[in-house]
Amino acid sequence: MEIAVTVGDISQFEADAIIVTLFEGAEYLSGELAAIDVALDGSISRLVTQGEIKGKLGENTLIYALAKLPAARVVVAGLGKETELTQDKVRGVVAGTCRMLRDKNVKSIATVAQGAGANGITYETIAQAIVEGAILGLYTFRRHITKEPEHGEVEQLTIVEADQSNITALEEGLRKGEVLAGATILARDMVNEPSNYMTPTDMVREASKVAEDYGLAVEVLEKEQMEELGMGALLGVAQGSHQPPKFIILRYKGRDAEEIDITLVGKAITFDSGGISLKPSANMGDMKGDMSGGAAVIATMAAIAQLKPAINVMAVIPATENLPGGNALKPADILTSMEGKTIEIISTDAEGRLILADALGYARKHGTKRIVDVATLTGACVVALGTVTTGVFGNHQELVGQVIAAGAEAGEKMWQMPIFDEYKEQNKSTVADIKNTGGRNAGAITAALFVGEFAGDTPWVHLDIAGTNMIDKTRKYEVKGATGVPVRTLVNLVVSLAGK
Ligand code: BES
Ligand code: MN
Ligand code: ZN
């Protein structure tokens, strides 16, 4: 989809459809809407008077222009109450309208800068929200479908703005939106692939492509190197699979110093069967998405390399399958992590925290000022927060706050969970330093505390995305399947840390 900003009068713009907006309870039609209303012989004002158009959030009224305008169709999109407008509502509205128009085979869409200026929202922010809403909302994953889709694709989206002085801001927002949404759909594509198309080796290919395309350093540790480094926890998980494990490192250097300002760690279990502690077969296929953390981190690096913030970032992605087999890890086995802690295995299905243990060990060995890890870690987090909210855990309140703020800006909902010391009791082992599950109670918290053991005193935040990485029903600008959460949060976080 080609996206552009242009100066002009949208009522005179030629497109398959133009989108104009109305706030709920608006007393009169805005400039553009009034001009279009006149051209359409007052049909819009009549529909408003009749109560058909109310301006409610998400309301779409499609009107055929019947040659009275250069455009074939007009959509009046409701933005809800003006005082309650947010950039995230704009993302959702644009996604819904664009999908409705795509279903009608619309190829070119023009829109006003929806709601810009209202509620203190800038033109730049609005352009970014429009672009993200359109790209993310129109996303489809059809790589393995050989038959033609029922509808075409939207080819052109144009933001039409009357006032020349707003154009630079709109263009800036457009560019940011394209980078952020582009990275998000890169993550979605990886997560939507089934595990036979997204093995650890395939993840290496994806990371290498990002490194190549955007100029990042990439390094991949093979099993032998992991052995040399003593990554016993990761290797324990990998030993049941025929796919070789891969330990992927990406580096972005945005400022002239050796220090690593932040390390992003992403869990990449390319399929989680549970191992010997086998999962029930119903919905096991969802576990193709157990590499969502790794995918998000790789995609985030792609965006960072394009936005070029002045900060040094390392990404660490431990990648392996978790399968049962003659050589697989077994309950009661004891593993030794890279930094020497011994781990009693209670359940081979609590594998994410094991690979994270060695990934955090690696990050700390290389010296990093902060760590943020992203993982589809626990079913307990899904029980607690559903598919709406990502669980946030951390040992450093300032960093926790920065992550949550970055999430709010992205429209990716986050909520902090407690990690009080009392919960550590549940992770105590009588035969090793720690055990890999802490029982049913507070399962997301004890998992986070396990990971936190390997963060030591490095400022650290853990994001449990087990509920938010995939959805089974389209919701605003997230379509059924992979969501690409929390790519935009991570990018915002890194950019904001660089600004400090
Ligand atoms: N990958 C799963 C967590 C998960 C569950 C992700 C549902 C997405 C949706 C993780 O490896 C796992 O199996 N966790 C176990 C831990 C338990 C054995 C302590 C769980 O949550 O059941
Ligand atoms: Mn598991
Ligand atoms: Zn898992």
Side-chain angles (χ1 to χ4, degrees):
M1 181 169 47
E2 276 266 324
I3 311 183
V5 170
T6 187
V7 65
D9 173 359
I10 195 162
S11 70
Q12 296 310 309
F13 200 83
E14 196 181 324
D16 294 341
I18 56 175
I19 307 173
V20 278
T21 57
L22 184 69
F23 285 117
E24 188 176 342
E27 298 282 321
Y28 52 87
L29 301 181
S30 67
E32 297 104 347
L33 205 47
I36 291 166
D37 187 42
V38 169
L40 297 180
D41 307 326
S43 358
I44 295 175
S45 42
R46 212 166 313 130
L47 288 166
V48 172
T49 316
Q50 290 164 357
E52 169 127 6
I53 301 181
K54 294 196 177 70
K56 283 199 179 303
L57 184 69
E59 172 191 277
N60 272 321
T61 310
L62 176 65
I63 301 164
Y64 290 90
L66 306 175
K68 291 173 186 163
L69 286 171
R73 302 168 185 79
V74 176
V75 178
V76 182
L79 288 182
K81 297 211 176 70
E82 182 167 0
T83 51
E84 292 172 8
L85 187 72
T86 62
Q87 56 171 312
D88 205 48
K89 286 183 180 172
V90 174
R91 289 187 190 102
V93 164
V94 171
T97 312
C98 286
R99 276 197 300 268
M100 181 268 281
L101 291 171
R102 179 181 60 190
D103 288 346
K104 301 193 176 297
N105 247 317
V106 162
K107 299 274 184 280
S108 59
I109 300 175
T111 177
V112 293
Q114 308 195 7
N119 221 4
I121 309 177
T122 65
Y123 276 79
E124 177 177 344
T125 302
I126 287 296
Q128 187 184 336
I130 290 172
V131 171
E132 290 179 9
I135 295 177
L136 297 175
L138 288 170
Y139 172 82
T140 55
F141 182 75
R142 299 187 47 92
R143 284 184 187 172
H144 304 287
I145 302 176
T146 59
K147 88 175 205 293
E148 286 297 306
E150 277 161 27
H151 50 72
E153 291 299 332
V154 176
E155 288 160 8
Q156 180 74 45
L157 175 68
T158 311
I159 302 174
V160 183
E161 163 62 25
D163 186 347
Q164 174 70 46
S165 69
N166 293 321
I167 296 297
T168 313
L170 288 170
E171 279 170 347
E172 193 49 41
L174 184 163
R175 189 183 88 91
K176 258 187 103 180
E178 279 192 315
V179 170
L180 283 161
T184 307
I185 67 178
L186 176 65
R188 287 183 182 178
D189 278 343
M190 283 187 248
V191 174
N192 281 329
E193 285 289 7
S195 72
N196 60 326
Y197 283 91
M198 197 49 63
T199 63
T201 305
D202 293 313
M203 294 211 64
V204 168
R205 188 199 59 228
E206 296 288 336
S208 306
K209 183 162 191 314
V210 163
E212 170 99 359
D213 289 354
Y214 305 110
L216 297 165
V218 60
E219 187 185 348
V220 181
L221 307 184
E222 303 294 336
K223 189 175 156 214
E224 296 68 35
Q225 291 155 291
M226 297 178 218
E227 280 163 358
E228 277 162 29
L229 288 168
M231 294 183 168
L234 168 53
L235 289 166
V237 177
Q239 74 193 32
S241 167
H242 294 294
Q243 289 293 337
K246 305 282 174 180
F247 194 92
I248 307 167
I249 303 125
L250 288 168
R251 285 190 175 82
Y252 165 78
K253 204 161 179 323
R255 67 183 187 99
D256 201 14
E258 288 315 306
E259 278 176 310
I260 300 166
D261 297 302
I262 183 166
T263 300
L264 306 174
V265 177
K267 169 180 173 181
I269 296 291
T270 58
F271 191 77
D272 182 12
S273 71
I276 295 296
S277 311
L278 194 64
K279 288 183 181 294
S281 52
N283 301 322
M284 200 201 273
D286 286 351
M287 288 302 126
K288 72 173 186 179
D290 212 21
M291 33 58 73
S292 295
V297 165
I298 293 172
T300 297
M301 293 302 275
I304 290 170
Q306 293 170 77
L307 296 174
K308 301 192 168 44
I311 185 169
N312 292 340
V313 188
M314 176 162 77
V316 174
I317 303 104
T320 175
E321 291 184 325
N322 183 27
L323 291 184
N327 203 38
L329 184 67
K330 303 173 292 298
D333 286 359
I334 296 176
L335 301 175
T336 304
S337 71
M338 179 175 164
E339 47 87 76
K341 273 198 180 66
T342 59
I343 305 164
E344 178 192 4
I345 303 304
I346 303 296
S347 169
T348 66
D349 198 10
E351 84 299 335
R353 62 198 80 181
L354 297 173
I355 71 169
L356 291 175
D358 283 337
L360 266 63
Y362 182 91
R364 276 178 37 95
K365 191 178 159 197
H366 284 77
T368 181
K369 285 207 269 183
R370 310 170 180 88
I371 299 174
V372 174
D373 83 73
V374 189
T376 45
L377 205 64
T378 65
C381 194
V382 191
V383 172
L385 300 174
T387 63
V388 176
T389 309
T390 294
V392 184
F393 309 75
N395 65 5
H396 191 272
Q397 202 52 37
E398 188 188 359
L399 188 57
V400 167
Q402 287 165 332
V403 171
I404 293 175
E409 195 186 328
E412 295 181 330
K413 295 184 173 58
M414 313 247 152
W415 201 260
Q416 186 178 10
M417 305 281 269
I419 52 164
F420 297 120
D421 279 345
E422 284 83 345
Y423 292 108
K424 286 188 181 166
E425 201 61 39
Q426 290 173 242
N427 284 339
K428 284 200 173 138
S429 166
T430 52
V431 295
D433 296 337
I434 193 168
K435 61 183 182 184
N436 83 328
T437 68
R440 268 175 58 85
N441 284 354
I445 294 170
T446 53
L449 277 167
F450 181 100
V451 178
E453 280 299 315
F454 299 86
D457 52 14
T458 304
W460 155 81
V461 166
H462 158 64
L463 298 177
D464 194 333
I465 57 165
T468 50
N469 72 320
M470 293 203 283
I471 50 174
D472 52 20
K473 214 173 142 258
T474 295
R475 180 174 68 197
K476 292 184 265 185
Y477 52 91
E478 295 179 319
V479 297
K480 179 178 151 75
T483 59
V485 167
V487 171
R488 290 176 305 115
T489 297
L490 294 178
V491 179
N492 290 345
L493 174 70
V494 168
V495 169
S496 84
L497 289 173
K500 292 220 165 72

